């Protein structure tokens, strides 16, 4: 049997709450086309459709807005795993919170018969797109810096923690999450910004390849309606995830757990000679070259001005990481695991984990090139159906920074 023993059925439950986590309505059996999109070091996104006429959607709540409204409503997603592949989850099995997000976008569309509402929900990290990087005093009107050696002791994780803590402590309303997770010491970083926003600044730090972030959702409710910072806890570490040698995905190859496979190899982002400039009067410049890559493919240059980065150290780290990732053709694999037999997300693998992917070891179907090896998980899309449970529609993996053995 492909994939070995059948996997258990997995169900989800979705609840609309206010910003303090107080439940308003349960839309599990109302929502359809439900999808969750998880990406490494990015906010998680939930999308679904509901009939606009349904009472769990359009009744006016105590605050004067409909049950389903933009900005002041959260959606919580709970997951439950059955005890076997042919039965519903046992009543004694706990529902586990796997998503909390703010309703960010609503689109009502009607025809001659009905009106449907498309909803987009983003987790609390997305709020940082509209929050400024602040100094220790709470100011953002001037340059804000963190310093690594020899002048300081700041690391990637401590910089990210400072950004969130300072925002939650300023006079404005706090974020929906705090830094109550785990912060493991990462590489030293010297970083500085002028009137920058938090989320793109965090992306810059994680793009160095020296720090990853994760958000652990909390099933929080404040009936006093005074504090909404506890819906999630941020963590930062040198590398999210771990090696999962027992998790193997196979397309036309053992263990036959993949129904569809797509591989893209291209030169669109290829560069083996990288020059980056930062924003500084001194004209800080970082230049990195991969001579082995140039000898194999020829020379391909990248030259960019990163006007929001003021420190030479951060520019150098970004240049090194760009060269590391771009000095080979970009190789991205997207697979669709078989529902019911493939390893389960959350329980057996998650973002940042490294798993084994086998492609094309059997006579049919024939692939252009077979390969096998360790791949890192950068994202996945999960479809949720009220009747058949969860299904991984797309799993994005890349061996760009891992070891892959072509065959």
């Amino acid at each position: 049997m492909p994939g070995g023993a059948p996997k258990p059925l997995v169900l989800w439950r979705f609840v609309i709450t206010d910003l303090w986590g107080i439940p308003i309505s349960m839309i599990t059996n109302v929502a359809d086309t439900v999808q969750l999109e998880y990406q490494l070091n990015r906010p998680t996104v939930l999308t679904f459709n509901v009939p606009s006429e349904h009472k769990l959607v359009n009744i006016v709540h105590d605050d004067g807005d409909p049950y389903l409204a933009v900005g002041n409503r959260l959606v919580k997603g709970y997951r439950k795993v059955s005890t076997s592949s042919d039965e519903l989850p046992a009543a004694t099995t706990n529902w586990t919170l796997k998503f909390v997000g703010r309703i960010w976008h609503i689109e009502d569309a009607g025809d001659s018969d009905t009106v449907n509402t498309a909803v987009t929900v983003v987790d609390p990290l997305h709020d940082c797109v509209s929050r400024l990087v602040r100094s220790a005093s709470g100011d953002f009107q001037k340059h804000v810096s963190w310093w690594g050696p020899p002048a300081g002791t700041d690391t990637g994780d401590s910089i990210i923690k400072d950004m969130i803590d300072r925002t939650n402590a300023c006079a404005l309303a706090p974020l929906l999450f705090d830094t109550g997770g785990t912060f493991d010491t990462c590489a030293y970083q010297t970083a500085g910004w002028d009137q920058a926003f938090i989320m793109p600044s965090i992306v810059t730090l994680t793009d160095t390849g020296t720090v990853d972030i994760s958000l652990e959702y909390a099933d929080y409710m404040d009936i006093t309606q005074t504090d909404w910072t506890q819906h999630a806890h941020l963590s930062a570490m040198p590398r999210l995830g771990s090696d999962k040698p027992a998790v193997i995905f196979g397309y036309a190859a053992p263990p036959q757990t993949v129904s569809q496979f797509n591989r893209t190899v291209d030169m669109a982002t290829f560069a083996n000679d990288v020059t980056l400039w930062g924003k500084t009067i001194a004209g800080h410049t970082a230049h990195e070259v991969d001579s082995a890559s140039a000898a194999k493919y020829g020379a391909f240059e990248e030259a960019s001005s990163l006007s929001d980065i003021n420190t030479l150290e951060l520019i150098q780290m970004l240049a090194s990481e760009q060269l590391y990732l771009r000095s080979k053709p970009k190789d991205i694999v997207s697979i669709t695991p078989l529902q019911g037999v493939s390893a389960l997300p959350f329980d057996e693998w998650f973002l940042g984990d490294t798993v084994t992917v086998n492609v094309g070891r059997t006579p049919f179907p024939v692939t252009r090139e077979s390969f096998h090896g360790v791949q890192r998980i950068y994202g996945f899309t999960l479809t949720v159906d009220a009747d058949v449970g969860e299904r991984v529609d797309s799993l994005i993996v890349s061996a760009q920074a891992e070891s892959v053995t072509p065959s």
Side-chain angles (χ1 to χ4, degrees):
M1 177 181 293
K7 298 296 181 179
L9 178 67
V10 181
L11 299 180
W12 283 72
R13 171 185 290 173
F14 296 97
V15 179
I16 297 175
T17 80
D18 61 18
L19 291 185
W20 294 275
I22 301 172
I24 295 175
S25 68
M26 184 181 295
I27 57 171
T28 304
N29 295 320
V30 178
D32 62 14
T33 60
V34 181
Q35 282 197 330
L36 286 146
E37 183 178 347
Y38 292 85
Q39 294 186 71
L40 184 65
N41 297 321
R42 301 294 190 274
T44 298
V45 180
L46 165 69
T47 57
F48 59 88
N49 292 328
V50 291
S52 305
E53 65 188 15
H54 202 284
K55 62 183 180 180
L56 294 177
V57 170
N58 66 10
I59 288 179
V60 177
H61 190 45
D62 297 341
D63 59 10
D65 291 325
Y67 282 0
L68 183 67
V70 165
N72 61 345
R73 298 285 187 265
L74 304 178
V75 176
K76 293 184 177 183
Y78 299 85
R79 184 176 181 267
K80 192 174 188 180
V81 181
S82 67
T83 56
S84 70
S85 61
D86 57 356
E87 66 179 42
L88 295 177
T92 56
T93 305
N94 292 328
W95 288 95
T96 304
L97 185 71
K98 291 300 182 183
F99 176 80
V100 177
R102 185 195 299 265
I103 296 178
W104 198 264
H105 176 87
I106 287 178
E107 182 176 347
D108 299 314
D111 55 25
S112 58
D113 298 317
T114 61
V115 181
N116 284 290
T117 300
V119 184
T120 300
V121 189
V122 288
D123 82 9
L125 267 178
H126 191 72
D127 289 3
C128 294
V129 170
S130 302
R131 299 304 295 267
L132 288 158
V133 175
R134 296 175 181 272
S135 66
S137 64
D139 185 26
F140 63 86
Q141 305 292 347
K142 59 182 180 180
H143 178 67
V144 180
S145 295
W146 286 266
W147 298 97
T153 58
D154 287 312
T155 56
D157 59 296
S158 67
I159 296 172
I160 292 171
K161 188 175 188 301
D162 282 347
M163 288 182 184
I164 304 305
D165 287 344
R166 292 173 182 180
T167 297
N168 282 339
C170 76
L172 299 177
L175 297 162
L176 294 172
F177 68 99
D178 63 13
T179 56
T182 300
F183 285 78
D184 296 330
T185 303
C186 299
Y188 288 111
Q189 292 215 35
T190 295
W193 289 276
D194 296 329
Q195 297 85 50
F197 290 92
I198 294 176
M199 194 63 227
S201 301
I202 289 179
V203 169
T204 298
L205 293 171
T206 58
D207 280 354
T208 64
T210 64
V211 57
D212 286 333
I213 60 172
S214 68
L215 206 59
E216 180 182 1
Y217 307 114
D219 200 359
Y220 173 74
M221 180 174 65
D222 177 26
I223 60 175
T224 68
Q225 297 187 344
T226 57
D227 179 21
W228 60 44
T229 62
Q230 305 296 306
H231 290 297
H233 308 300
L234 185 71
S235 295
M237 67 291 298
R239 183 182 176 91
L240 179 66
S242 59
D243 294 331
K244 303 290 185 180
V247 178
I248 303 173
F249 296 98
Y251 173 78
Q256 305 290 349
T257 54
V258 175
S259 61
Q260 296 184 53
F261 149 76
N262 181 274
R263 184 185 185 189
T264 302
V265 186
D266 64 45
M267 300 282 284
T269 61
F270 188 87
N272 47 32
D273 188 309
V274 177
T275 303
L276 300 180
W277 293 277
K279 178 183 178 181
T280 171
I281 296 175
H284 288 321
T285 305
H287 181 219
E288 298 281 346
V289 179
D290 187 328
S291 55
S293 173
K296 180 175 181 177
Y297 299 104
F300 290 79
E301 295 176 297
E302 166 65 27
S304 300
S305 178
L306 306 180
S307 60
D308 59 339
I309 300 176
N310 287 0
T311 63
L312 175 61
E313 292 82 359
L314 185 52
I315 289 291
Q316 289 175 328
M317 295 178 80
L318 289 169
S320 296
E321 184 67 5
Q322 277 206 30
L323 184 73
Y324 184 60
L325 294 174
R326 298 176 62 179
S327 57
K328 295 179 290 186
K330 186 176 182 180
D331 190 348
I332 297 294
V333 173
S334 174
I335 59 177
T336 302
L338 278 168
Q339 185 179 17
V341 296
S342 286
L344 295 175
F346 305 104
D347 303 301
E348 297 175 85
W349 56 265
F350 196 62
L351 293 174
D353 288 341
T354 51
V355 299
T356 299
V357 177
N358 298 324
V359 172
R361 288 185 179 178
T362 59
F364 182 82
V366 178
T367 59
R368 178 188 58 84
E369 179 183 18
S370 62
F371 69 91
H372 65 278
V374 173
Q375 306 256 333
R376 192 178 189 206
I377 297 173
Y378 286 94
F380 64 98
T381 300
L382 199 67
T383 293
V384 178
D385 186 281
D387 297 320
V388 300
E390 72 178 20
R391 179 183 72 248
V392 179
D393 280 342
S394 178
L395 178 63
I396 308 300
V397 296
S398 175
Q400 205 74 351
E402 316 298 336
S403 59
V404 171
T405 306
S407 59

